[in-house]
């Protein structure tokens, strides 16, 4: 097997198991919404679009969307962060766990009821217990009498806020 093929195969296998994750430091230059940030990494001049791993915040045009963005702004805007890059999504965003010091921004968004935990229904996601707690306490998105609509359900009924 050629060396390049072997290296590509190893990296592909490592990415599949998330063992090949890269940790970078930088600062948050913009908060697009409750789960997407623009981060200027220390070794770059242009911001990278980062999707916070394992959470789903409301679409910007859906109820709770602006509150989720404001929550993320208070946590991250102009703050130093560590970005643990694990993948790229279908929209070209880097998917990453984002830490501000010891604070996991994804966990904090779910804990405060400002985002849903991925895989919550199976109970297996890393933030499932935080979502259960936010729902029980009726905080954030779960404070309203009517059930908060998750972003995938919202998009089914209303489409994307971004026309695509």
């Amino acid at each position: 097997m050629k060396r390049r093929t072997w290296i590509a195969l190893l990296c592909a296998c490592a990415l599949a198991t998330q063992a090949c994750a890269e940790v970078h430091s930088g600062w948050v230059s913009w908060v697009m919404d409750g789960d997407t940030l623009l981060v200027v990494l220390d070794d770059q001049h242009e911001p990278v679009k980062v999707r916070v791993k394992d959470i789903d915040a409301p679409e910007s045009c859906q109820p709770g969307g602006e509150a989720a963005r404001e929550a993320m702004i208070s946590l991250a805007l102009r703050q130093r962060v560590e970005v643990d890059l694990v993948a790229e999504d279908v929209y070209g965003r880097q998917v990453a766990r984002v830490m501000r010091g010891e604070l996991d921004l994804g966990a904090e968004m779910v804990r405060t009821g400002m985002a849903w935990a991925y895989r919550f229904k199976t109970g297996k996601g890393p933030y499932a217990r935080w979502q259960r707690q936010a729902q029980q306490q009726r905080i954030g998105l779960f404070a309203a009498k009517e059930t908060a609509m998750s972003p995938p359900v919202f998009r089914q009924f209303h489409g994307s806020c971004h026309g695509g």
Side-chain angles (χ1 to χ4, degrees), residues 5-118:
T5 306
W6 179 247
I7 291 170
L9 179 62
L10 279 176
C11 200
C13 290
L15 282 173
T17 61
Q18 296 182 359
C20 194
E22 300 176 40
V23 179
H24 298 274
S25 295
W27 61 279
V28 177
S29 64
W30 189 252
V31 174
M32 298 183 73
D33 58 30
D35 56 29
T36 307
L37 311 168
L38 292 182
V39 179
V40 179
L41 302 176
D42 288 344
D43 58 348
Q44 298 182 8
H45 298 289
E46 295 297 318
V48 175
K49 194 180 287 189
V50 175
R51 173 72 162 75
V52 179
K53 182 178 182 287
D54 292 322
I55 71 170
D56 202 3
E59 295 289 327
S60 57
C61 63
Q62 87 177 86
E66 190 55 35
R69 180 175 182 267
E70 290 296 324
M72 184 59 84
I73 285 171
S74 70
L75 290 172
L77 187 61
R78 292 190 282 285
Q79 298 294 314
R80 297 257 337 137
V81 293
E82 284 204 353
V83 179
D84 186 359
L85 301 173
V86 294
E88 185 174 298
D89 70 10
V90 297
Y91 303 106
R93 300 176 295 189
Q94 298 301 308
V95 178
R97 182 172 180 222
V98 182
M99 302 289 293
R100 190 191 80 206
E102 297 294 314
L103 183 66
D104 180 331
L105 298 185
E108 186 66 8
M109 288 293 287
V110 174
R111 190 188 68 74
T112 58
M114 300 313 296
W116 285 265
Y118 273 145

Side-chain angles (χ1 to χ4, degrees), residues 35 56-59 62 116 141 149-156 159:
D35 56 29
D56 202 3
E59 295 289 327
Q62 87 177 86
W116 285 265
L141 302 166
M149 189 180 295
S150 68
V153 173
F154 178 84
R155 285 189 298 271
Q156 278 183 328

